[in-house]
Structures are given as C-alpha cells and as structure tokens.
Amino acid sequence: MKVKAIILSLAVGATLLVGCGTKAADKTVPTSTTKAKTDVVTTASIVDQQVAFQKAVSKDGSWIIAITKDLKVDKEIVLEGSFKVADKKDKTKQVPAGRKFALYAQDDKRVKTASYTLTAPKLIVKSENSKIQGGTFVGDVYVEAKGFTIKDAKVQGNVYFATDALKSAFKLDKTGSISGTQSVKK
C-alpha cells in the first residue's frame, strides 16, 4: 500500500514539474498587457538562436535581450515596444524601461566576463531609451526613437538618426565606439 502511495505521489509531482517547465530559448514571461498601448511587464530573454532572438526583439518580446554567444541574424532587426519594470524604490509600482541588447556575460557580482558579437544587416530602433551594451554590433543602426545609447559597446557600421533631435539626444559613453558615420538620414 505504501508503494502505491509513493508511486502516485511521484507521478503527480512529475506531472506538476513538467507543466512548469520552460524552453531555454523562451524565458520571456509577460505578466500584464493593456490594449490601449503596448505596455508589457517583462523579464530578460536569454537567447542563442536566430528565431528566439527575433521573437525577443519584437514588441511582444522582452525588456532585455541577452545573447550567450556570437550570433548572426540574416534579417533586419526591428526593436520595438514599450516595457515596464518594478520601481527600484517601490516594488509595488511599475516604471518605463528602455530596451537593452546585452551583448555580454557577467558573474554574480555583475563583472563582465565575456563579450559577444551580434551581426545583422540592419537594426531599426523604435523603442525609446534603448541601449546596446557590452559587446559588438556589426551592421548599420537606424534610430527612430529618442534616448538611444551605446554603452561599453562597439558598432561596426553607421548610425543613422531619423531627426536632428534624435541625434542630439543620442549618448555614446567613453567606452563605446562607432566605426562608421553618425548622421541624420530621413
């Protein structure tokens, strides 16, 4: 009788665990959406495949897109959507979050341990306050939203801005670089 109870308990436990599993390429868990405006609360998406990457950068994707190895994407990348995260001072409130390409790995102390290269023919930035950080993007970047930043990263290509105002709002930190031109291209 005890054996049946143990087997039944194991079967129920295994069934519950299988239902809670996630795919490695899909770690995005949107927790709320509104119909009036794309407004998603989300976590990071850790990807190493082109298909998962394209899903992560979409308007229904995730706030942070972190790659775990050098990645080549054959199609243009369109980074769009608005996201929210918990406020650092008041966890019960949600605040807007800029999207981020994390092209690096880090340890538990947030020290960068590796840098990766993301290659694509074109990156179109439509999400406000977006950032490329910690690695290299190979291709041209087209900025159509305010607040774009390159932080501790390299762009091997050109950066084009839709307006003069977007170009003026652009931030390139002292550890970032662009090999091509920075210009307004309408």
Side-chain angles (χ1 to χ4, degrees):
M1 195 58 135
K2 287 184 180 181
V3 172
K4 285 184 182 179
I6 291 171
I7 292 174
L8 182 59
S9 295
L10 288 173
V12 170
T15 302
L16 288 173
L17 289 175
V18 167
C20 295
T22 62
K23 296 177 185 174
D26 186 17
K27 296 193 182 211
T28 306
V29 184
T31 56
S32 72
T33 59
T34 62
K35 292 182 181 180
K37 181 179 175 186
T38 303
D39 192 15
V40 179
V41 177
T42 185
T43 60
S45 184
I46 301 167
V47 295
D48 65 357
Q49 300 292 321
Q50 184 173 187
V51 173
F53 179 84
Q54 289 288 16
K55 181 179 176 187
V57 300
S58 74
K59 67 181 180 178
D60 298 319
S62 57
W63 163 46
I64 298 174
I65 302 96
I67 63 174
T68 59
K69 65 180 185 177
D70 292 346
L71 185 62
K72 184 173 183 176
V73 178
D74 298 331
K75 300 176 184 174
E76 72 180 26
I77 299 167
V78 180
L79 185 65
E80 58 186 336
S82 299
F83 294 82
K84 291 188 175 186
V85 294
D87 186 8
K88 290 180 181 179
K89 294 179 182 175
D90 183 352
K91 300 291 183 196
T92 64
K93 293 182 181 178
Q94 299 294 312
V95 296
R99 302 206 56 201
K100 176 174 147 179
F101 282 131
L103 307 180
Y104 62 97
Q106 64 185 9
D107 63 18
D108 58 347
K109 293 181 175 95
R110 295 186 167 219
V111 174
K112 185 167 69 169
T113 58
S115 292
Y116 305 114
T117 300
L118 172 61
T119 304
K122 182 189 233 183
L123 166 61
I124 302 170
V125 179
K126 294 185 175 190
S127 292
E128 289 187 4
N129 302 313
S130 293
K131 179 188 315 182
I132 297 175
Q133 183 172 339
T136 302
F137 176 74
V138 178
D140 290 335
V141 179
Y142 292 78
V143 180
E144 298 178 4
K146 67 180 180 179
F148 179 64
T149 301
I150 296 174
K151 180 178 180 181
D152 186 32
K154 298 174 185 170
V155 171
Q156 291 180 354
N158 302 305
V159 179
Y160 299 112
F161 301 90
T163 66
D164 287 317
L166 294 175
K167 185 178 180 197
S168 296
F170 168 63
K171 295 176 186 158
L172 176 65
D173 82 346
K174 62 182 177 181
T175 57
S177 67
I178 299 169
S179 68
T181 62
Q182 298 176 52
S183 62
V184 175
K185 187 173 184 177
K186 297 177 184 182

